Amino acid sequence: MDYQQIGRQIRAARLRRKMTQAQLAEAADLSVPYISHVERGKKRVSLDALLRISRALDVTVDQLLSGTQPQDRNAYLPEIGELFEDCTLRERRILRDVAAAVKESLRENT
């Protein structure tokens, strides 16, 4: 487990929700120093705390753990699913085509 990456994911989710560490700590019933240490990867987050944090941030634990395993082939799939969730079929097709073009360009230029 990459606890620094988990901390970065928690911090990013907290900032997307426009929450302070104090607000997150209160909502998750944890201390502000604990949240700070977890976000900086200085302390390993417990499963219980991770569940509380995910509920307070209204995200899944999967989203907080996404990309924390080396070579995680499922990294970012939940976010992509959310991106497509409210799209029409036409919009999904366009997004798929754009993603395919970007992927091809990345592979050609690396």
Side-chain angles (χ1 to χ4, degrees), residues 7-102:
R8 285 191 292 269
Q9 297 279 66
I10 290 170
R11 182 176 191 275
R14 176 178 60 78
L15 293 175
R16 279 193 304 274
R17 304 263 311 164
K18 296 180 176 23
M19 292 176 83
T20 65
Q21 286 183 342
Q23 290 168 325
L24 175 56
E26 183 177 338
D29 196 27
L30 299 165
S31 72
V32 175
Y34 182 80
I35 296 293
S36 175
H37 285 55
V38 166
E39 284 189 359
R40 291 181 290 131
K42 301 298 181 192
K43 190 167 200 130
R44 291 181 173 194
V45 63
S46 70
L47 180 56
D48 178 61
L50 191 60
L51 287 168
R52 290 193 215 176
I53 290 168
S54 73
R55 283 189 206 117
L57 293 171
D58 195 28
V59 298
T60 66
V61 171
D62 277 354
Q63 288 171 299
L64 297 179
L65 294 177
S66 179
T68 63
Q69 297 293 326
Q71 306 278 323
D72 186 353
R73 295 186 56 85
N74 294 319
Y76 305 107
L77 288 181
E79 290 91 343
I80 291 169
E82 287 179 13
L83 179 68
F84 280 60
E85 200 170 80
D86 64 343
C87 292
T88 65
L89 186 56
R90 178 178 177 274
E91 292 169 334
R92 287 178 187 209
R93 186 177 56 252
I94 291 168
L95 287 169
R96 184 209 55 211
D97 292 348
V98 168
V102 170

